[in-house]
Amino acid sequence: MIIKLKYIFVYLLFMFLFSIFLFCYGFFPFSYSTSAKSSLLDLPSSLDNARLNNGSYKSRHSRIILMVIDAMRCDFVTEKTMPFLHSLIATGAACQYRLQVHPPTVTMPRIKAMTSGSIPSFLDVILNLGSAKTELDTFLYQMIQQHQRIVFYGDNTWTNMFPDIFYRKRENVDSLYVNDFYKGDENITNSMRLELLNFDWELMILHYLGLDHIGHVEGPFSGKIPSKLKEMDNVISEIVESMNRWDKRNQTAPLLLITGDHGMRDSGGHGGSTFSETNVPLLVIGNNCTRSDDLFMQIDIAPTLATLLGVAIPYSSIGSLIVPVLDDIPPIDKVYAAFYNTKRLVEKAQILSNDNVKKQDFFLQYKEAKLLHTIFLEHEDDLTILNKAINKYSTISRNLSALLIKNYIRYDEFSMLLGICLGVLTSTLSILLVFLPQNISEIKIQLNLVPIVAVLATLSFTKYFIFKLDLIGLAILQNFYSYHSLLVCIFCCLYIYWSVFKSIISFIKKNRVQCHQATPPISCLVLGFSFHAISSCSSSFIEEEHLIWYYFCSTLFLLMTILELKKLNRVIEKLKLSRRANEGFLNNFLWERHLFCIKSVLFLCGHILLRRLNQTGDKWQHLADIGDWLNKDEHKSPLSVVLVFALCSTVYAIGRFAGVLTTILSATACFLVYYYRLMAGLVAFFGIIPTKTNNCLTIFWINLVEIFAISLLPKLYNAIIKTKKDSSSILVSVITITALLSTLLHKPHNVILVAALLSSSRYLVTRIDNVSESKLESLLLKIGSHIWLGKLFYFYQGNSNNLATIDLNAGYVGLSSFSFWRVGLLLLLNTYHGQILSFLMLLYHLENGHRHKFANKLIQDEQRKQTISNWFLKLYSIANIIPLTFYVIVVAFMRNHIFVWTVFSPKLIYECVHITLTMIEMLVAIFFLK
């Protein structure tokens, strides 16, 4: 059976995608917690031989208000921004505590942590957009079991997670629409005012989003932040005033808790693990709490609130009690609550310790705490013993929480191993395909019985191995159909791998493999790719990955500049020594060298300026950059100049490879982009503020449709009259549309990156054509350098391997409501703009490679296209498959590393998205390079 080489590469990439997703399935379990529920029947009724009064475990407040201010950082609570709240803290009427939030710092997993006391899955950062119904035990569920009523107003993530919990509710339908700073919060406040007049509820939850939205769009240092914090301060003042008027006949005062689901990064947004994202305040108003400088966990809210509400602590909770909040509770009940929660945690820890429970330190400390508790029951007046017992329980529970958090992650190691094996096989085959001669476009695969028997034997042994080691309990093997479907799928994959591998090896044995001598630019590319792959073993290199690409790209640019300069110098020296040399001809070369030097200096200096446009990474991300300066309110005029220059440069760059009509439409689209930014108030034009309307964006989209139609009409004409098909005009329109969309989605100061990327691509191709010693070297350099160029501009934009650097505001440009697919597509285009546009420019240069001076002298046009297509598929596959295969192996070994969830996991998510994008790019390349 004869199979074309391009189909083999598509198959390998599909299989590699399957292997990566299989690995992620094992590495990112969807839930770490069971759906089992607690009950008040679980309350301890005895302490060794002493009886306990579990009837005293009851609600301590007539009503509780939980106010969640999205993205509330600890440093936001100041006398200047929140004067009323700060005055309560100063007078002792309120207590402020500090909570540590576990990554991922996004809303849905944080709500899970607050309500259930468990550590959510890291994949919840992706599921955050869907906010599916949670099956975990929560204090909300426990309240419903005790017929307590809950009302809710705010983020619809709550209502999606708990659809049947709330007695009354009003959610923000478009909570993910980040351009809403005020309207949603005003609706919450109006509903809250009406609810404060009702007395038929025990818990009211308010979740305000305006602060988070401002942070996403303008950052934590925006001028809108103080006014938003004062608005929240006024809301708190209204609630406290109502609390003071409420009836206290039952001697159970109301309670107000204020906290944030997560913090906010200094550059805006959240999702990472910086201090400002993982530290939030907890403010308690309405009881005799005591101050504490200790650091508590966000998961401690669930058991603490359950205790205050008199309901069972959620089964999945691994948090400890925030003891200073419980000072209103009578001493004997306070120590009972501490014992109850500690007993639960000890039982969970016993499951981990198996038969070695009595030898563990926590068990010995637990026995000491129970002894103190028993002594206090005998001498109830001795508060010293009481405090010792409570402190002992508190210490034990906090240590147990840390232990359980550390051991709470369950990996499906079988899926991980299977994914790694398939990835290694795919990488091996992709490397072997490189050794095939460049004129080979298809290989012959022979089907025989031997590999079938070998694969079946392997699968039979695997099945025996699975049952023998009792691995059938793993998540992916629990379902009968998924288990056998997986075995059949693996059988087919291994059989095809075996057949392709055998065919390649036999072909290589019959044909002599030619090794080409590596030139300095090729050596630089190989060294750069190798170092980048190896650097993924280090968390610091992952955090500062941009420095790797800055260094190697600069080295490559400088190396090619020096090589071309040396080439020009050699030509000039020959002309000077030649007696027949024309003086005018020599002067032309001298002028060309001067012009080249000027262009090279401008090119290198331009890239030095671009890398200072946005600080990224981890260590220096907080430092001010050019973008920070331009985005200040007082610098709108300079930003306007920069935006105009960037848009004009983009039109000029597009005009260098597009037609006149496409260029005119591009200029119109860029004018509309400027008008949109002017309308949004981000730039200034002599004090003119146009009327807000979406008509400009409507015309912008029409322009893009017209640009595509211009390229499509000749294609249709050629199809009708059956002439030779030409896809280059469509490629030009796709590049133009992608560039124009990027100018719309980028922050104004980042628009210059679009023109810079287009110009850098053209500059690099010119340098490569001039310094290459062969057509093959030229092809390799173009492919490798454009992959680097995409990475380079990815980091120029301010992106990193931290989830917090995703610019969510770009997903809502031109939208008035949330749409999963539209927002997701715009975010993908904006985040991976560098890789997408550099890939399209690479295709453009390869498609138009016949202009290269080597092209038509050596091979015919069809053979040239076939060679280009084969080498593109080979190198593009290897450049993406091998580093990611190496990285998943590193992640598997680093799964118990302290930074696995803050550094290694976010990068793995980015890489999964990028390899999916690469798959799409490969299919596009096959279409254009056929």
Side-chain angles (χ1 to χ4, degrees), residues 554-608:
S554 299
T555 303
L556 182 64
F557 297 160
L558 188 60
L559 179 61
M560 287 194 292
T561 301
I562 293 173
L563 289 176
E564 185 167 355
L565 186 59
K566 289 175 66 176
K567 190 173 183 179
L568 284 172
N569 287 335
R570 284 197 298 268
V571 173
I572 292 172
E573 288 298 323
K574 287 181 179 179
L575 289 174
K576 286 182 178 179
L577 296 174
S578 176
R579 296 180 179 178
R580 298 181 180 180
N582 189 306
E583 187 174 351
F585 193 55
L586 178 61
N587 290 333
N588 285 336
F589 266 94
L590 290 173
W591 169 248
E592 183 179 343
R593 184 177 65 177
H594 293 319
L595 190 61
F596 168 73
C597 291
I598 295 172
K599 287 181 179 179
S600 300
V601 171
L602 291 176
F603 177 80
L604 295 174
C605 291
H607 276 272
I608 293 173

Side-chain angles (χ1 to χ4, degrees), residues 748-794:
H749 72 278
N750 277 339
V751 174
I752 189 64
L753 294 175
V754 180
L757 196 155
L758 296 175
S759 301
S760 296
S761 174
R762 183 175 290 275
Y763 178 88
L764 277 176
V765 168
T766 305
R767 301 285 78 77
I768 290 170
D769 287 343
N770 290 338
V771 303
S772 299
E773 298 178 1
S774 67
K775 191 176 71 66
L776 179 59
E777 182 188 357
S778 173
L779 182 61
L780 298 180
L781 285 176
K782 286 177 183 178
I783 296 172
S785 62
H786 276 79
I787 294 175
W788 283 19
L789 201 63
K791 293 283 189 180
L792 186 66
F793 276 83
Y794 172 83

Side-chain angles (χ1 to χ4, degrees), residues 132-315:
K133 179 181 178 180
T134 181
E135 299 296 334
L136 292 175
D137 190 12
T138 63
F139 68 81
L140 302 178
Y141 172 83
Q142 294 298 330
M143 288 183 68
I144 297 301
Q145 301 310 300
Q146 300 305 311
H147 307 290
Q148 298 183 17
R149 292 174 174 175
I150 310 168
V151 295
F152 171 79
Y153 301 99
D155 185 357
N156 65 345
T157 304
W158 288 80
T159 55
N160 292 335
M161 293 173 63
F162 311 107
D164 306 320
I165 290 290
F166 303 117
Y167 181 62
R168 281 189 299 272
K169 61 186 178 182
R170 182 179 179 183
E171 70 272 20
N172 292 336
V173 179
D174 291 327
S175 297
L176 293 172
Y177 181 58
V178 296
N179 290 324
D180 176 19
F181 296 167
Y182 304 107
K183 185 178 179 180
D185 286 357
E186 289 173 1
N187 292 336
I188 298 172
T189 302
N190 292 334
S191 299
M192 178 266 301
R193 287 168 180 160
L194 295 175
E195 202 60 66
L196 292 176
L197 302 175
N198 298 323
F199 294 91
D200 59 348
W201 51 267
E202 284 74 31
L203 175 65
M204 177 164 65
I205 301 175
L206 307 172
H207 191 135
Y208 285 91
L209 289 161
L211 185 68
D212 176 66
H213 290 176
I214 295 172
H216 278 297
V217 177
E218 300 186 12
F221 307 112
S222 165
K224 296 183 178 68
I225 292 288
S227 61
K228 174 55 69 173
L229 290 173
K230 287 181 180 178
E231 178 189 337
M232 296 295 98
D233 195 50
N234 292 333
V235 172
I236 296 169
S237 176
E238 288 188 42
I239 295 174
V240 172
E241 185 179 349
S242 296
M243 289 169 58
N244 293 333
R245 292 197 308 264
W246 285 343
D247 186 14
K248 300 181 182 179
R249 287 177 297 177
N250 294 327
Q251 297 181 350
T252 54
L255 182 69
L256 172 62
L257 300 178
I258 306 160
T259 188
D261 54 344
H262 51 73
M264 187 188 299
R265 192 180 177 92
D266 286 342
S267 58
H270 53 86
S273 57
T274 62
F275 180 86
S276 57
E277 293 171 275
T278 57
N279 281 262
V280 299
L282 172 64
L283 298 121
V284 181
I285 305 172
N287 69 355
N288 297 321
C289 56
T290 56
R291 297 184 180 182
S292 175
D293 294 327
D294 292 340
L295 176 64
F296 299 98
M297 299 290 177
Q298 190 180 52
I299 57 175
D300 297 343
I301 291 178
T304 304
L305 263 178
T307 302
L308 292 173
L309 291 163
V311 299
I313 296 175
Y315 183 86

Side-chain angles (χ1 to χ4, degrees), residues 446-456 491 495 498-499 502:
Q446 295 181 348
L447 303 178
N448 52 59
L449 191 62
V450 175
I452 296 178
V453 174
V455 171
L456 284 174
F491 165 75
Y495 177 69
W498 175 275
S499 302
K502 186 178 179 182

Side-chain angles (χ1 to χ4, degrees), residues 653-831:
I654 291 173
R656 296 189 68 181
F657 58 81
V660 176
L661 187 54
T662 299
T663 305
I664 293 173
L665 290 172
S666 300
T668 306
C670 287
F671 171 77
L672 293 170
V673 169
Y674 181 81
Y675 184 87
Y676 174 76
R677 294 302 181 184
L678 184 65
M679 185 178 64
L682 297 180
V683 295
F685 184 74
F686 299 107
I688 298 175
I689 302 177
T691 305
K692 291 188 177 181
T693 176
N694 286 329
N695 291 339
C696 62
L697 290 181
T698 303
I699 300 173
F700 175 85
W701 291 110
I702 292 174
N703 270 20
L704 298 190
V705 173
E706 290 174 343
I707 290 172
F708 186 75
I710 290 172
S711 63
L712 190 62
L713 290 176
K715 183 82 172 178
L716 293 174
Y717 175 78
N718 292 335
I720 292 172
I721 64 173
K722 298 181 180 180
T723 59
K724 186 178 179 181
K725 297 181 180 180
D726 180 19
S727 58
S728 60
S729 59
I730 294 181
L731 180 58
V732 169
S733 69
V734 171
I735 294 173
T736 304
I737 291 171
T738 304
L740 293 175
L741 267 176
S742 298
T743 61
L744 177 66
L745 300 179
H746 281 354
K747 294 178 180 178
H749 72 278
N750 277 339
V751 174
I752 189 64
L753 294 175
V754 180
L757 196 155
L758 296 175
S759 301
S760 296
S761 174
R762 183 175 290 275
Y763 178 88
L764 277 176
V765 168
T766 305
R767 301 285 78 77
I768 290 170
D769 287 343
N770 290 338
V771 303
S772 299
E773 298 178 1
S774 67
K775 191 176 71 66
L776 179 59
E777 182 188 357
S778 173
L779 182 61
L780 298 180
L781 285 176
K782 286 177 183 178
I783 296 172
S785 62
H786 276 79
I787 294 175
W788 283 19
L789 201 63
K791 293 283 189 180
L792 186 66
F793 276 83
Y794 172 83
F795 291 107
Y796 279 171
Q797 192 178 336
N799 295 318
S800 70
N801 290 317
N802 193 311
L803 297 174
T805 55
I806 297 176
D807 182 16
L808 286 181
N809 188 43
Y812 298 90
V813 172
L815 300 181
S816 57
S817 62
F818 174 75
S819 171
F820 179 83
W821 294 108
R822 285 186 293 176
V823 171
L825 185 61
L826 294 179
L827 282 178
L828 182 70
L829 178 59
N830 181 69
T831 304

